[in-house]
Amino acid sequence: MKKFLTVLLAGLLSLAVLSGCDRTPSKPKPVDPDDITVNLDPNMEATIEIMVPGGNVNERTMIQCLIDDFADLFPNVTIEMSYVSVDNYVSAVGQQQLAGTLPDIVWSNSPDFYDLVESETFVDLTPYIKANEMQDKVNTYIGANGEAGKYSFENDFYTEFYGMSSVGESCYVIPRSCDSVVTFINTDILSKAGVDLDPATTKVKNGWTWDDFMEVCAKVRTYMDNNGMRNDYVFDANLTSWLSVCYPMLLSYGAEVLNEKGEVAIDSAATRECLDMVADLVSKRYINDSTVATSGSFDNGKSAMLFQSASVSLYANRVALKGKVDLVSFPLITENDTPKIGAGVAGYAINAASKNKELAWAFLTYLSSYAGQQKMALNGLNLASIRKDLSDYKNANWGKDYETLNLSAYTYGSEYKVSSDFFTRTKLSAKAGLQQAIKQMFNNACNAEKAKDMDAIISATVRDMKDAMIEY
């Protein structure tokens, strides 16, 4: 009896503790645009905090320049900066949300923002966009003339990228640039391999096809083998670690991850065709087997090409690549007449628990303004602007110092751009498991031994995807 009472009391205490410690944020209430104050008192006093990726010097520099400018608009407002690791981003943000310490403005990206929509961490920014549009002018929306201007969502922005940070009709992240996968090239290696780079005749240009790409790979492989570089590989594919490359490849072959009903659809002839292509890249030693470590990479000047969406400044200024870098569009896979190019969003969201949402929105409005975009571009954002009036890189600041490079690769082929949005066809909490399943499938296809049995690879993927979608 004494033991029973002890257990009973312990159970009741546990329930009381759990009840008392439940800090799960309440569901954010819908906001009416009419209730949002866009033009705040410039003399207001407040402190807000913005979270940026800790390992990205460019990002910190870009945001600091905006903070400095914002102080001219709101001299009594203090903006503090904190940092988050990209490697454990979702868990780190989630922990701070539960602890009540999450900053007012939070860096995010696709597809990670989906997790934080599911947990209702971020504010639906659509009413704030509408509130901006209702004003004759928005005081933090600074134009080319240095004056506050009229905000027009459809006219001012490449809205398809806002769509990539939306779920349904609700937008959760304001993009700070247009992020699109391109092919970075080492012009020195390609030239030595005998690849024609004459602008008038080259196949290495925006709109090139996968067949063109494979032809270049063959020449580079031969050059490497004949010049003591047998252990180096032709290109860094990012196939096994990044959905922005492997998912568009699947779509290009006509494959689906989930169908429109949210059912697993990965087991198809189109998927097998895509994975066979990947296995062929390994067998020809264009990319490394996933079981083989390699010290050579595009970054250190050992590989000829790289699939990436990063700012050109990240590579053009490396010692091993100085004067040897250019870029072209991602090669179009045309076998199924549905070529796709990976695209996505990096930008900023507003914490649903913030007590200064309107001030946070004023900052994001400045970030997306002509003045804000131009200022960030001068401080490391060498990616295509989200604004239509800054599309020409030869005149806009985002192309400054790199005008001789083919920066139009970033903006080429808007009709082909696609984000990894299949998560929205099922419960968003399944995202992490689904994402890992697709990455592992490509990892296995890059393993020469496992690639001998594609049926086994796909069966394992189907199992892992279904496990991810189980309601616990």
Side-chain angles (χ1 to χ4, degrees):
M1 182 67 176
K2 184 176 180 180
K3 182 177 181 181
F4 170 75
L5 288 173
T6 302
V7 172
L8 178 61
L9 287 171
L12 291 171
L13 180 60
S14 297
L15 287 173
V17 169
L18 288 172
S19 175
C21 292
D22 183 8
R23 304 183 69 176
T24 303
S26 58
K27 184 172 182 177
K29 296 179 181 179
V31 180
D32 190 316
D34 287 323
D35 295 332
I36 297 171
T37 302
V38 167
N39 292 320
L40 301 170
D41 179 0
N43 295 313
M44 69 181 295
E45 297 182 5
T47 297
I48 60 174
E49 186 178 355
I50 182 167
M51 175 184 279
V52 302
N56 191 326
V57 176
N58 268 8
E59 196 80 28
R60 297 201 304 269
T61 303
M62 290 185 293
I63 294 303
Q64 186 59 56
C65 80
L66 295 185
I67 291 173
D68 294 342
D69 280 2
F70 202 71
D72 293 333
L73 300 171
F74 292 90
N76 299 318
V77 167
T78 299
I79 301 181
E80 299 173 347
M81 200 184 304
S82 62
Y83 309 104
V84 64
S85 169
V86 175
D87 293 336
N88 63 339
Y89 169 78
V90 172
S91 62
V93 171
Q95 289 169 9
Q96 290 196 38
Q97 176 209 27
L98 291 174
T101 59
L102 189 67
D104 304 274
I105 303 172
V106 183
W107 176 89
S108 195
N109 69 349
S110 57
D112 286 340
F113 84 93
Y114 287 115
D115 294 275
L116 301 164
V117 171
E118 178 82 359
S119 61
E120 297 175 343
T121 302
F122 292 158
V123 170
D124 175 7
L125 298 174
T126 309
Y128 291 82
I129 292 172
K130 292 179 180 177
N132 270 3
E133 290 195 298
M134 292 165 57
Q135 306 301 313
D136 291 331
K137 69 175 183 178
V138 177
N139 292 343
T140 57
Y141 194 62
I142 309 301
N145 61 359
E147 302 292 332
K150 175 72 176 173
Y151 184 104
S152 176
F153 181 63
E154 292 289 340
N155 292 331
D156 295 351
F157 302 104
Y158 289 107
T159 57
E160 60 267 31
F161 283 88
Y162 283 78
M164 294 177 191
S165 61
S166 299
V167 177
E169 298 299 317
S170 298
C171 177
Y172 292 92
V173 179
I174 297 301
R176 52 102 166 100
S177 58
C178 296
D179 289 10
S180 180
V181 177
V182 298
T183 310
F184 284 95
I185 61 173
N186 185 316
T187 56
D188 183 60
I189 294 178
L190 293 188
S191 295
K192 289 177 178 176
V195 176
D196 176 18
L197 295 181
D198 183 336
T201 56
T202 185
K203 292 183 178 180
V204 186
K205 60 185 179 181
N206 292 343
W208 65 330
T209 66
W210 195 258
D211 289 339
D212 297 330
F213 173 73
M214 291 293 282
E215 183 181 318
V216 170
C217 286
K219 288 186 176 182
V220 174
R221 183 70 270 166
T222 299
Y223 163 73
M224 287 180 163
D225 289 345
N226 291 340
N227 289 274
M229 294 179 278
R230 289 189 58 83
N231 294 327
D232 293 327
Y233 293 89
V234 175
F235 72 103
D236 291 352
N238 275 324
L239 274 175
T240 61
S241 61
W242 199 23
L243 287 184
S244 292
V245 173
C246 59
Y247 179 59
M249 282 184 166
L250 285 168
L251 295 184
S252 295
Y253 278 95
E256 282 190 299
V257 175
L258 300 173
N259 62 25
E260 292 184 357
K261 295 180 180 179
E263 300 165 335
V264 175
I266 197 68
D267 189 352
S268 67
T271 297
R272 284 171 173 77
E273 187 178 2
C274 180
L275 297 185
D276 284 341
M277 177 272 291
V278 172
D280 185 50
L281 294 175
V282 174
S283 68
K284 291 177 176 176
R285 292 186 302 116
Y286 296 166
I287 62 174
N288 63 297
D289 188 299
S290 58
T291 64
V292 177
T294 174
S295 59
S297 67
F298 185 83
D299 294 32
N300 62 20
K302 298 294 185 180
S303 293
M305 291 174 284
L306 165 73
F307 295 153
Q308 185 52 271
S309 65
S311 173
V312 65
S313 58
L314 183 64
Y315 302 104
N317 296 322
R318 290 180 179 269
V319 174
L321 297 172
K322 196 84 170 173
K324 302 175 183 177
V325 169
D326 209 338
L327 58 160
V328 294
S329 63
F330 184 85
L332 300 177
I333 299 172
T334 57
E335 276 75 2
N336 191 57
D337 293 326
T338 56
K340 302 297 180 186
I341 297 174
V345 164
Y348 289 86
I350 295 178
N351 178 5
S354 170
K355 296 180 180 179
N356 286 295
K357 295 183 183 69
E358 292 176 341
L359 183 58
W361 176 247
F363 182 84
L364 295 187
T365 297
Y366 180 68
L367 177 150
S368 64
S369 72
Y370 182 98
Q373 288 280 290
Q374 287 283 71
K375 194 62 174 286
M376 282 196 296
L378 287 177
N379 287 271
L381 187 59
N382 299 114
L383 288 169
S385 174
I386 198 70
R387 296 186 58 84
K388 293 178 179 177
D389 55 3
L390 292 173
S391 61
D392 184 359
Y393 68 89
K394 293 185 178 180
N395 294 313
N397 287 345
W398 67 271
K400 188 176 175 58
D401 297 330
Y402 303 101
E403 296 91 344
T404 60
L405 302 183
N406 180 37
L407 299 188
S408 60
Y410 287 119
T411 56
Y412 171 82
S414 60
E415 67 272 28
Y416 305 126
K417 301 292 173 71
V418 62
S419 64
S420 303
D421 59 355
F422 59 87
F423 310 113
T424 59
R425 293 183 173 182
T426 184
K427 55 185 176 44
L428 296 180
S429 57
K431 181 191 79 70
L434 292 173
Q435 179 172 271
Q436 183 55 39
I438 299 303
K439 288 179 180 179
Q440 187 59 50
M441 181 178 74
F442 275 84
N443 188 284
N444 290 337
C446 289
N447 180 323
E449 189 60 34
K450 289 185 176 182
K452 293 176 182 178
D453 191 350
M454 287 297 182
D455 287 341
I457 290 176
I458 293 176
S459 293
T461 305
V462 170
R463 178 200 66 214
D464 292 344
M465 290 178 65
K466 287 183 176 180
D467 285 349
M469 295 166 65
I470 291 174
E471 291 278 8
Y472 291 101

